[in-house]
Amino acid sequence: MNFAVLINFSFSFLFGLICPAHAGLEGESAFVLNTFGFLIWGALVMWMCAGFTMLESGCVRTKNASTICLKNIGLYSIAGLAYYIIGYNIMYVGVEPGGWFGSLALTYGPSDAERALVKGASADVVAGSSYSSMSDWFFQMVFVATAASIVSGTLAERIKLWPFFAFVLLLTAVIYPVVGSWAWGGGWLDNLGFIDFAGSTIVHSTGGWAALSGAILVGARRGRFRKEGTIKPMPPSNVPIVALGIFILWFGWFGFNGGSQLSLDSALDAVTISNIFANTNIAAAAGVVAALCVSKPILGRMDIMAILNGAIAGLVSITAGPDFVDIQWSVLIGAVGGVIAVSGSKFIERLGIDDVVGAIPAHLFAGVWGTLAVCLTSGGQLWIQITGVLVIGIFVFSASAALWLLLDRLAGLRISELAEDLGQDVVELGIEAYPEFVAIPENEEI
């Protein structure tokens, strides 16, 4: 037997072990493949935090870019700890069928069987499980950080750091997990038949509602809306960085939506994930093209920020139900999302709401549309979808508003006028993101 034949035989044998002809894998092979899938998908979603950081730091003025970087790495870390300590348990552990939330027990860890395996037991001890406990925790945790990132961008340039971090702590420890338990943890919305495959409402609209309540209570940046009714342009400081952030988010979204299949141990899973990837990609592309077409008629110019947000809106729109087979529907869903992003940005401006990165139209408005769009593609019932959207919106907005008001009473939400003029980087951090681009040279002889 020559070397080439031996290699071919070896690969054929291994493929036969991993991917047999029957419907799905069983036992240890399924456990390993599903666990590996969760870890890779979760890492892709974690990379979206870098996308949000680039997007937001490019959208703000240079004097606030360092603060944005701190806020994003801070919120990711806080979200991870909060979800470990109590959030995951509230969302998934001990949720009664049709219930409202799960266990209030603290911390989460590997199962007893997994602990036994690590100590030398046979792999048979985990044969009854589909994947590692902590791989699932990790995958679910990076989702909650995404919801918190939406709030960060909307309220940039005028909210204090510590009140913001306190809000993130309670959003990720309690508010988001309660919503998640209703639909993904087996709670009452799940029993009702509510469909939100990867979180158009549960993740993106939740973040959008929290951001909207904060934007209303904190108010706009000084000078953004003039007394005579005109709007002062506050252009982004670094458009290339914004575009990079969009591409990173687009890339990470394949893990966000594809991983939400929650399994990769059968041919059906492989085909479904392939369709999810295709639908996700096409919806984002359609969102960009639609925003490109309507930008000038709606905004009076080719607004690159609105067009870039068209990609985000297309991605958010498809997230509630990306697992359908008739892929042409993703063009419609993404295109409508792109139009919503552009028109929504103009709408909230007319209401006097200052959203630095355009997160409210791209995540909240497009998230609502995407949740309703599953009625076209994935068998959703309109009244059930509307019920889920409304109840989650009322709960998140009310809980967030109450929390914002409490934090404002305790510590104040708004930075000082001096901090807003000089920038949070100098006043709160004592460092500038771009120190070489100072307005006045330090050396007076120059």
Side-chain angles (χ1 to χ4, degrees):
M1 182 181 293
N2 62 37
F3 184 73
V5 173
L6 178 62
I7 291 295
N8 183 60
F9 174 79
S10 300
F11 273 108
S12 299
F13 177 72
L14 290 172
F15 186 80
L17 288 177
I18 297 174
C19 300
H22 56 74
L25 300 176
E26 296 178 353
E28 187 176 359
S29 297
F31 184 91
V32 170
L33 195 55
N34 289 333
T35 296
F36 181 72
F38 272 133
L39 297 176
I40 296 300
W41 295 323
L44 283 174
V45 179
M46 185 271 179
W47 185 233
M48 291 173 68
C49 292
F52 279 115
T53 304
M54 293 298 96
L55 168 62
E56 295 170 24
S57 62
C59 282
V60 300
R61 290 165 289 184
T62 55
K63 60 185 179 181
N64 296 301
S66 295
T67 303
I68 284 294
C69 294
L70 176 59
K71 284 171 66 178
N72 275 274
I73 198 168
L75 71 85
Y76 179 79
S77 303
I78 291 168
L81 290 170
Y83 204 63
Y84 163 70
I85 293 170
I86 194 169
Y88 186 90
N89 288 333
I90 290 176
M91 190 163 172
Y92 286 110
V93 178
V95 182
E96 296 290 337
W100 292 88
F101 57 88
S103 171
L104 297 179
L106 300 181
T107 72
Y108 184 78
S111 66
D112 292 339
E114 291 166 2
R115 294 178 188 275
L117 178 65
V118 171
K119 292 179 180 179
S122 166
D124 292 340
V125 298
V126 296
S129 303
S130 299
Y131 42 76
S132 161
S133 299
M134 296 315 292
S135 70
D136 176 59
W137 175 87
F138 172 65
F139 180 68
Q140 300 298 337
M141 183 278 292
V142 291
F143 274 55
V144 69
T146 299
S149 296
I150 297 167
V151 183
S152 169
T154 295
L155 301 180
E157 299 199 300
R158 73 263 200 203
I159 189 169
K160 294 179 181 178
L161 275 172
W162 283 110
F164 170 76
F165 285 146
F167 180 84
V168 168
L169 175 64
L170 291 170
L171 174 68
T172 56
V174 180
I175 297 175
Y176 171 87
V178 167
V179 170
S181 73
W182 294 350
W184 288 348
W188 70 275
L189 271 178
D190 181 55
N191 278 14
L192 197 63
F194 180 71
I195 298 174
D196 192 0
F197 185 85
S200 285
T201 284
I202 296 168
V203 178
H204 296 282
S205 288
T206 292
W209 286 116
L212 177 61
S213 64
I216 293 172
L217 292 171
V218 175
R221 290 168 289 179
R222 285 201 316 126
R224 177 63 171 155
F225 300 106
R226 300 186 180 100
K227 292 180 179 179
E228 64 271 20
T230 59
I231 300 171
K232 178 183 177 181
M234 291 184 174
S237 61
N238 195 328
V239 174
I241 287 294
V242 176
L244 174 63
I246 296 294
F247 275 114
I248 292 173
L249 288 168
W250 193 327
F251 176 70
W253 228 286
F254 295 123
F256 199 98
N257 285 357
S260 293
Q261 178 67 9
L262 304 181
S263 179
L264 186 54
D265 61 8
S266 71
L268 175 61
D269 290 322
V271 170
T272 302
I273 292 172
S274 299
N275 290 339
I276 291 170
F277 271 51
N279 286 327
T280 300
N281 194 63
I282 291 173
V288 171
V289 173
L292 188 67
C293 293
V294 303
S295 176
K296 192 166 186 178
I298 294 176
L299 302 177
R301 66 189 185 281
M302 296 292 287
D303 190 315
I304 186 170
M305 296 305 300
I307 294 167
L308 290 172
N309 263 339
I312 300 298
L315 291 163
V316 171
S317 299
I318 202 65
T319 293
D323 55 335
F324 53 87
V325 176
D326 297 324
I327 296 176
Q328 62 270 19
W329 279 107
S330 60
V331 177
L332 172 65
I333 293 171
V336 173
V339 174
I340 288 172
V342 177
S343 56
S345 64
K346 190 174 184 66
F347 173 69
I348 64 170
E349 279 187 350
R350 287 184 173 179
L351 294 178
I353 297 172
D354 188 11
D355 181 356
V356 177
V357 301
I360 293 170
H363 291 273
L364 172 53
F365 297 169
V368 171
W369 153 244
T371 306
L372 301 180
V374 299
C375 299
L376 302 174
T377 60
S378 304
Q381 298 182 55
L382 184 59
W383 74 270
I384 293 176
Q385 297 301 107
I386 291 174
T387 299
V389 166
L390 290 177
V391 173
I392 289 173
I394 292 169
F395 170 71
V396 175
F397 185 87
S398 301
S400 298
L403 182 54
W404 288 126
L405 287 170
L406 177 62
L407 291 170
D408 191 37
R409 181 67 62 87
L410 294 176
L413 293 175
R414 184 96 188 198
I415 61 176
S416 67
E417 291 187 3
L418 178 64
E420 199 163 349
D421 288 339
L422 297 179
Q424 288 181 273
D425 289 2
V426 172
V427 175
E428 294 198 272
L429 304 185
I431 187 172
E432 294 176 278
Y434 308 100
E436 65 273 25
F437 297 111
V438 294
I440 302 174
E442 294 182 3
N443 186 346
E444 295 180 357
E445 297 179 358
I446 294 176

